[in-house]
Amino acid sequence: AQTVTQSQPEMSVQEAETVTLSCTYDTSESDYYLFWYKQPPSRQMILVIRQEAYKQQNATENRFSVNFQKAAKSFSLKISDSQLGDAAMYFCAYRNAYSNTGKLIFGQGTTLQVKP
Amino acid sequence: NAGVTQTPKFQVLKTGQSMTLQCAQDMNHNSMYWYRQDPGMGLRLIYYSASEGTTDKGEVPNGYNVSRLNKREFSLRLESAAPSQTSVYFCASSPWGTAPTEAFFGQGTRLTVV
């Protein structure tokens, strides 16, 4: 069975600084998708970034980028130039690429605090 | 531009009471899901429906039932609520297929069982 682990329950960063959130996963599949979701206090789940395992290039979306290390089964999220609006809980999620359903396996979440 | 709509947003139940959480999506997605979110545990899959007419158990199905009423609607029923079911519940939907599309989530229902 696949598992996703986020070992940092809480992180904090100074506004305008850079922070990295960690995520590791375990799977025997060779192809899969990885996602980072943001959950602000409103509870809405917002997709931040996605990575396809067969792609070696790390995904980037504006200030958000990932460090995808397939052999190490690691998928960290880097937030550059942190803003107050980045304060939220962040979830790492895994999806089997061979499945037609979009079932996700989530990590435990990391709460990010941004200090002004 | 509604996306995934869940009702209610908040609910308090007494132990043993029953209730149904409603979910509807307007994105023409085939697959729908119910997750629960608990502190320190992330989101866990309760049930899912890969397509209209099918439902399957997820990781934590005990104490719940689901109905895929049509392509748009997927409800979650608690027949006899227990304090252990106090949680935030999310409905989600996604297209069918192996493309790396994300799941779209509703706003969540905060359920407290006393």
Side-chain angles (χ1 to χ4, degrees):
Chain A
Q2 294 89 6
T3 59
V4 177
T5 302
Q6 294 177 250
S7 58
Q8 306 156 315
E10 297 178 352
M11 294 282 286
S12 67
V13 62
Q14 208 70 34
E15 196 176 4
E17 298 292 307
T18 296
V19 64
T20 298
L21 308 184
S22 300
C23 173
T24 59
Y25 58 94
D26 189 26
T27 183
S28 58
E29 301 291 346
S30 59
D31 200 12
Y32 45 87
Y33 308 126
L34 298 166
F35 304 87
W36 279 98
Y37 277 88
K38 171 185 178 181
Q39 186 183 50
S42 66
R43 285 206 310 254
Q44 184 64 48
M45 294 287 284
I46 302 164
L47 179 70
V48 174
I49 199 165
R50 84 190 82 202
Q51 176 77 42
E52 295 156 65
Y54 67 87
K55 290 186 177 179
Q56 294 191 347
Q57 186 172 7
N58 289 324
T60 61
E61 289 286 346
N62 301 313
R63 298 183 294 107
F64 298 88
S65 61
V66 299
N67 183 3
F68 173 50
Q69 302 286 332
K70 191 173 185 179
K73 295 180 182 175
S74 171
F75 182 60
S76 60
L77 175 69
K78 185 171 84 170
I79 306 174
S80 304
D81 186 25
S82 296
Q83 300 176 359
L84 295 177
D86 295 334
M89 179 167 281
Y90 287 82
F91 291 99
C92 177
Y94 168 100
R95 179 192 156 183
N96 184 343
Y98 300 106
S99 172
N100 282 308
T101 71
K103 290 188 297 179
L104 296 170
I105 299 169
F106 285 89
Q108 299 88 335
T110 297
T111 299
L112 177 65
Q113 181 186 28
V114 181
K115 298 178 181 179
Chain B
N1 198 16
V4 179
T5 303
Q6 283 181 241
T7 55
K9 287 188 171 47
F10 301 93
Q11 183 72 48
V12 179
L13 287 179
K14 294 183 179 178
T15 297
Q17 286 185 319
S18 62
M19 80 161 295
T20 299
L21 279 65
Q22 307 286 353
C23 175
Q25 52 92 9
D26 62 2
M27 294 174 283
N28 201 35
H29 289 163
N30 284 304
S31 301
M32 298 185 73
Y33 318 85
W34 278 104
Y35 292 89
R36 61 178 287 174
Q37 180 181 359
D38 301 292
M41 305 192 76
L43 280 75
R44 294 178 293 167
L45 185 64
I46 304 171
Y47 270 94
Y48 67 100
S49 171
S51 60
E52 187 178 356
T54 69
T55 60
D56 284 287
K57 295 179 180 179
E59 182 184 356
V60 289
N62 291 345
Y64 305 96
N65 286 301
V66 291
S67 295
R68 184 73 182 265
L69 304 170
N70 47 55
K71 189 172 185 178
R72 292 185 62 249
E73 298 173 287
F74 187 41
S75 63
L76 178 72
R77 182 160 178 84
L78 287 70
E79 289 291 351
S80 179
S84 62
Q85 294 178 305
T86 293
S87 188
V88 178
Y89 291 85
F90 285 94
C91 178
S93 71
S94 68
W96 172 263
T98 56
T101 52
E102 74 270 28
F104 295 82
F105 288 80
Q107 290 270 26
T109 297
R110 181 174 292 280
L111 175 66
T112 303
V113 183
V114 297

